[in-house]
Amino acid sequence: MAKKLNQTSAQLQKRNEIISRRDTARTNWIAGVSHDIRTPLSLILGWAEQLEHDTALSAKTQQKAQRIRIQSEKIRSLIEDLNLTSKLQYGAQPLRCHSVILGPFLRRIVAEFYDSPLANGCTMDLQQAKDTENCSLCIDSALMTRAIENLFNNSIRHNAAPVHVTVQTQHSHGILQIIITDTGTGYPPAVLHALVHGEGENTPHILGLHIVEQIMEAHGGEVRFTQNVPNGAKTILTLPLT
């Protein structure tokens, strides 16, 4: 019996080592590819931006340069998402948590996003309940900002302008909810199915939303994706208050 247990233990240990090496190799490979792509992509972005603002070129050529820049920025965002989701999945992304007051934190995120080119064709509204203004959260503010901005981006990218995004807050019994809704077409059924039941064959692209799930889980919170009434998407972020 002891011999069999020792053999089983050795097999399990060997199996865990193989899985660990595989996961480490995958994380390192993604990080390496991301690093190698950044330099040529930065050059493409820089040249495209120069051509976009070169008045010696025709308006049509400048417009093509603008499109190259926009698509290159999308590629850069996807690379960052891929690298981040890999680190979060294998615990290689340390949380740098500190105390944050909710009111100023959300106002900064909404204001900065609204002033960015990403918000073209979008209007935004922040409705904070008075009793949440001074709520304290212990979070990694950079990661939480990323999660919220991913939801803003999702509302804008997948809906025709104009789209209105609303951010609301409420809390009860030490639990905070940040509710983000939009006036678009809502989450497609295939996307909701993948988010609720997990990814499978023919899963639509949900990397940005998956990162939101991972960030919330890392903070001991959760996220719920649903449809807004009468139309649009609705996402509820739930976090424990400190």
Side-chain angles (χ1 to χ4, degrees):
M1 179 66 73
K3 184 178 180 181
K4 288 291 183 181
L5 286 173
N6 288 335
Q7 289 176 344
T8 302
S9 178
Q11 290 173 351
L12 287 174
Q13 185 176 355
K14 184 177 180 181
R15 181 172 177 270
N16 289 336
E17 288 174 355
I18 292 172
I19 292 173
S20 179
R21 286 199 301 269
R22 183 199 65 188
D23 292 345
T24 300
R26 178 185 175 187
T27 301
N28 291 339
W29 181 80
I30 291 174
V33 171
S34 300
H35 179 271
D36 292 343
I37 290 176
R38 282 194 189 102
T39 299
L41 189 59
S42 295
L43 291 174
I44 293 171
L45 279 165
W47 292 333
E49 189 170 358
Q50 288 180 15
L51 294 173
E52 181 184 354
H53 296 99
D54 189 345
T55 55
L57 300 175
S58 67
K60 189 174 182 179
T61 301
Q62 286 179 302
Q63 187 179 47
K64 289 180 179 179
Q66 181 188 48
R67 290 174 180 170
I68 292 172
R69 175 183 60 78
I70 291 172
Q71 296 303 318
S72 297
E73 287 173 347
K74 288 182 179 179
I75 293 173
R76 181 173 62 184
S77 179
L78 285 171
I79 292 169
E80 291 173 353
D81 281 351
L82 183 61
N83 203 26
L84 178 58
T85 191
S86 176
K87 288 181 178 180
L88 288 168
Q89 182 175 354
Y90 298 114
Q93 176 69 35
L95 291 184
R96 297 176 175 87
C97 292
H98 59 280
S99 182
V100 171
I101 302 301
L102 180 66
F105 175 67
L106 278 183
R107 281 195 294 273
R108 176 186 61 80
I109 296 175
V110 173
E112 289 181 358
F113 187 86
Y114 190 64
D115 289 337
S116 73
L118 294 172
N120 288 341
C122 164
T123 55
M124 304 188 74
D125 185 22
L126 175 60
Q127 302 172 3
Q128 295 201 74
K130 289 183 179 180
D131 58 355
T132 65
E133 172 69 21
N134 294 313
C135 284
S136 178
L137 297 168
C138 186
I139 57 173
D140 183 318
S141 57
L143 282 181
M144 193 58 62
T145 298
R146 179 66 173 275
I148 294 172
E149 288 182 345
N150 275 13
L151 295 173
F152 291 166
N153 277 320
N154 189 76
S155 292
I156 294 169
R157 284 181 184 174
H158 301 291
N159 293 298
V163 60
H164 185 74
V165 178
T166 301
V167 183
Q168 298 172 295
T169 60
Q170 61 186 37
H171 86 86
S172 177
H173 305 293
I175 300 297
L176 172 74
Q177 287 189 332
I178 302 173
I179 305 163
I180 300 173
T181 59
D182 64 50
T183 57
T185 57
Y187 289 116
V191 168
L192 277 182
H193 184 272
L195 290 168
V196 173
H197 301 288
E199 299 181 29
E201 293 185 5
N202 302 318
T203 298
H205 173 64
I206 57 170
L207 182 58
L209 299 178
H210 182 51
I211 287 175
V212 176
E213 290 180 313
Q214 290 178 307
I215 291 174
M216 295 305 296
E217 183 179 351
H219 283 85
E222 61 182 19
V223 57
R224 184 160 64 94
F225 301 97
T226 184
Q227 305 293 25
N228 192 31
V229 178
N231 58 282
K234 181 177 183 179
T235 307
I236 302 173
L237 307 177
T238 303
L239 286 165
L241 292 170
T242 54

